Each structure stands twice: as C-alpha cells, then as structure tokens.
Amino acid sequence: MDFTLADFENLDRIPLDGTNAVLRPVFDPVLRTFAVQLWEGDGEPKGIHGLVEVFQYADEPLEAIDAFLAEHGVRALTGDEAVLLYAGLVQAKGGPDWLILQMDITTALQA
C-alpha cells in the first residue's frame, strides 16, 4: 500500500479490510499504558488487548496483537495495518512523540 496523508487522519478507528473488525488504539494517561480495543463493525465491543497486560510503550501491543486477534476469530494484521495501529497508539498518547511521528510521516510522504 502506498500511504497518503489521509491514511493517517483517522487513526482512532482502524478497520481491518475484509473483516467486520475495527481496532481502536487507546492510551490511559492515568496508568500511562496503551491498549487496543477490538470492536465489531456494528459497534459491539469484542475485547481489549492490554486489559491484563501492561503496555508502557506504543510498540508493545503490536508484539502480541495477532495472537489476541486469533483468540477472537480475526485474521492477523497486515504490515500496513500494523503501521497504522502503531501511529494510532502514538497519536492516542499525543505529546512530543506524536509531533515527531507527524513530521516523519510528512517527510516520508513527500519523498
């Protein structure tokens, strides 16, 4: 997939192509942890990756997301979906990490 800037504008809901699943990246500012919510396309929650685990960095949920999805009958992420999920997690936290990632995305897309 060739990414465009539009791909990085709606990172709070990442639909998985060919499925009825939507991933929602979350950062809890009180606990300072990341999680990924799994929703069905009709708005029904199916699970939270990070409810039991403690993910302190945005890349940690990605390491075991495919096993979590398999437990819920959803296919593994593609590489492009993993990129968008990581960006969504960083965006959910906000702050300087998100600003730096935005600059990197803009630079990469202009190259």
Side-chain angles (χ1 to χ4, degrees), residues 10 18 21 24 34 39-41 55 58 75 85 94:
N10 296 312
R24 293 184 182 177
F34 292 92
W39 292 73
E40 291 181 330
F55 299 128
R75 67 164 174 75
L85 179 57

Side-chain angles (χ1 to χ4, degrees), residues 39-103:
W39 292 73
E40 291 181 330
D42 57 7
E44 291 293 319
K46 289 184 77 174
I48 300 174
H49 181 49
L51 188 61
V52 175
E53 307 87 352
V54 177
F55 299 128
Q56 295 181 330
Y57 301 98
D59 61 333
E60 290 177 333
L62 295 173
E63 294 172 7
I65 190 74
D66 290 339
F68 167 79
L69 292 173
E71 289 173 14
H72 291 86
V74 177
R75 67 164 174 75
L77 294 184
T78 66
D80 292 337
E81 291 164 344
V83 167
L84 293 174
L85 179 57
Y86 175 78
L89 289 162
V90 174
Q91 181 187 48
K93 181 180 180 190
D97 292 342
W98 174 236
L99 294 175
I100 291 168
L101 185 58
Q102 280 181 301
M103 288 188 299

